[in-house]
Amino acid sequence: MNLTRDTFCSFCGTAYEAPLAYPRTCASCKTQVWANPIPVSLVLVPVVKDGKTGLLVIRRGIQPGKDKLALVGGFLEDHETWAEGGAREILEETNVTVDAKTLTTFWFTSTTPRPNRVLLFSVAAPLDASALGPYTGDAETLERGLVFGPGGLDEVFAFPLHVEAAKRFFAERSLTGAHGYVQV
Ligand SMILES: [Zn+2]
């Protein structure tokens, strides 16, 4: 069974001719198919704990980056704005409720070496750690926690672009020092 995507035209069923590059044009109905980069909504959620501002993170239970930390977020559904999708992912991954209307744009970038994802980073309104509510991990998300500074994030984070976003956040607020991960 050939599991390669877009082997056949989804409009008329004709097999595409080699080479299977994008964009490709159906020889029969002439419809073109494209492979566009996919947006990913990621939210930096500031959480104040013991007077220090940290960022909400999760420990991944699945690959890629299994057992490492990541900012909260994910793919959008086709009825969602980037903000609605970001707020949904925060709730799903951390059981924290954030109003999508309070998210503000922060930074966007493309993945490397393949620019097939566009990462849309936003920032939430600060929360107090006492307002986070209960949390139990699952197979996809093992822990919920906070990081408080840029030091050592490269070693503990799964994705270099999440490190870059977190470093930008801490630099803007002149927050320095070790990440000091704690579970919350
Ligand atoms: Zn066709």
Side-chain angles (χ1 to χ4, degrees):
M1 188 176 185
N2 187 337
L3 291 175
T4 304
R5 191 182 160 154
D6 296 332
T7 302
F8 296 89
C9 176
S10 65
F11 293 90
C12 77
T14 301
Y16 286 109
E17 293 163 7
L20 293 180
Y22 288 104
R24 66 190 62 153
T25 303
C26 175
S28 179
C29 76
K30 308 301 178 193
T31 304
Q32 273 198 316
V33 61
W34 302 76
N36 303 110
I38 297 172
V40 185
S41 183
L42 294 151
V43 189
L44 295 95
V45 184
V47 178
V48 180
K49 182 175 169 56
D50 302 328
K52 291 166 64 185
T53 296
L55 282 175
L56 190 64
V57 295
I58 55 100
R59 188 176 299 284
R60 294 173 58 81
I62 55 172
Q63 297 292 0
K66 185 174 182 297
D67 296 323
K68 292 204 155 187
L69 303 178
L71 294 171
V72 184
F75 295 115
L76 304 175
E77 295 172 7
D78 75 352
H79 61 278
E80 291 175 327
T81 64
W82 61 267
E84 290 164 349
R88 173 184 52 75
E89 289 283 351
I90 295 167
L91 183 61
E92 288 177 2
E93 295 186 345
T94 69
N95 198 37
V96 173
T97 301
V98 167
D99 184 347
K101 293 187 196 71
T102 66
L103 302 184
T104 56
T105 57
F106 181 66
W107 180 52
F108 64 83
T109 190
S110 290
T111 50
T112 57
R114 282 196 69 207
N116 60 328
R117 302 281 185 265
V118 183
L119 307 188
L120 308 169
F121 291 95
S122 59
V123 178
L127 299 169
D128 193 85
S130 63
L132 292 181
Y135 176 79
T136 45
D138 59 29
E140 284 187 29
T141 306
L142 305 175
E143 295 174 5
R144 178 180 74 182
L146 302 174
V147 291
F148 295 92
L153 286 181
D154 304 88
E155 288 82 57
V156 296
F157 264 30
F159 308 115
L161 292 171
H162 291 208
V163 174
E164 167 98 27
K167 284 183 174 176
R168 284 169 179 253
F169 173 90
F170 290 126
E172 281 188 4
R173 288 157 182 78
S174 301
L175 297 170
T176 57
H179 64 75
Y181 173 77
V182 292
Q183 256 186 277
V184 288

